[in-house]
Amino acid sequence: MKKLVAEFIGTLWLVLGGCGSAVLAAGYPELGIGFVGVAMAFGLTVLTMAYAIGHISGCHLNPAVSVGLWIGGRFDKKELVPYIIAQVLGGIAGAGILYLIVSGKPGFDIGGFAANGYGEHSPDGYNMASALITEIVMTFMFLIIILGATHSKAPKGFAGLAIGLGLTLIHLISIPVTNTSVNPARSTSQALFVGGWATEQLWLFWAAPIVGAILAGLVYKFISSEK
């Protein structure tokens, strides 16, 4: 139960910190943080939680990460579904807190609410194929970073830095394409509040990250084997 509570809190922080920066600070006139600031915010949520709860739950914060670690032989299958449920609920809680904050502004309009999308809902108009490729490849690389940084032979104590900076880089690449998911829990939390097009397109932001994570788990298991 302690692990699940940690995953809930960590995913709440990821959504509140990452999506919160996008909704509250990215477009602020003249002083806004822009894409770079949002990318850093997502990376910092993972970096901070890696050292806060990594020793408790492993700090997955992401159904795709849990699946990839399971495929890579680093995570027990029996914990997979409970972890995913805790992550999704934590993401929804984070989005709920963000909604309570932003709805307090006069003239409030939920708009995109940092939801992920493609086609006309892509920040720069990228189509479904581009979104699919981006999310698969970015999640694949994210899991390769995670599996490598947490390997028993990797330098100790630096995994959080590598993973946080890796997520920052992923956002710098892919925000214009999909608003960057690589995390079904993060996508679900925002889509539930936006509804409509966001929930209709949500399938891609579950399917693509899971596929990317499975591929990474298989590939890293092969390249790291000493046999």
Side-chain angles (χ1 to χ4, degrees):
M1 180 59 72
K2 291 178 180 179
K3 292 180 179 180
L4 300 182
V5 172
E7 285 295 304
F8 178 92
I9 294 170
T11 313
L12 182 158
W13 182 233
L14 182 144
V15 169
L16 183 58
C19 295
S21 70
V23 172
L24 298 170
Y28 198 83
E30 297 182 7
L31 298 176
I33 61 175
F35 284 174
V36 174
V38 174
M40 290 183 64
F42 271 102
L44 287 170
T45 62
V46 171
L47 174 61
T48 51
M49 283 296 107
Y51 294 107
I53 65 169
H55 59 288
I56 300 172
S57 69
C59 190
H60 297 190
L61 318 185
N62 181 340
V65 170
S66 296
V67 169
L69 290 174
W70 166 53
I71 294 294
R74 304 278 194 85
F75 187 56
D76 193 335
K77 182 180 179 180
K78 72 175 184 293
E79 293 189 284
L80 185 59
V81 172
Y83 260 56
I84 291 173
I85 292 171
Q87 291 155 3
V88 171
L89 292 178
I92 293 171
I97 293 170
L98 180 58
Y99 181 85
L100 291 175
I101 294 170
V102 299
S103 62
K105 184 178 180 180
F108 163 70
D109 177 9
I110 195 168
F113 202 52
N116 301 114
Y118 54 84
E120 63 179 304
H121 304 293
S122 158
D124 205 24
Y126 288 88
N127 65 17
M128 185 177 72
S130 294
L132 194 64
I133 293 167
T134 298
E135 289 295 325
I136 290 174
V137 173
M138 293 299 126
T139 310
F140 175 89
M141 293 308 304
F142 190 37
L143 264 295
I144 291 293
I145 293 166
I146 291 170
L147 288 162
T150 57
H151 193 276
S152 60
K153 292 186 176 180
K156 304 300 180 185
F158 294 99
L161 282 170
I163 296 166
L165 290 173
L167 188 59
T168 298
L169 176 57
I170 285 166
H171 278 78
L172 289 173
I173 297 167
S174 58
I175 287 176
V177 184
T178 61
N179 244 355
T180 308
S181 172
V182 303
N183 185 338
R186 169 261 191 272
S187 297
T188 300
S189 65
Q190 305 311 114
L192 290 180
F193 282 85
V194 175
W197 65 265
T199 52
E200 291 169 7
Q201 295 189 356
L202 183 59
W203 68 270
L204 186 145
F205 301 104
W206 272 88
I210 295 297
V211 169
I214 290 172
L215 292 174
L218 293 172
V219 169
Y220 200 85
K221 197 172 185 178
F222 170 72
I223 64 175
S224 64
S225 173
E226 295 182 356
K227 293 182 181 179

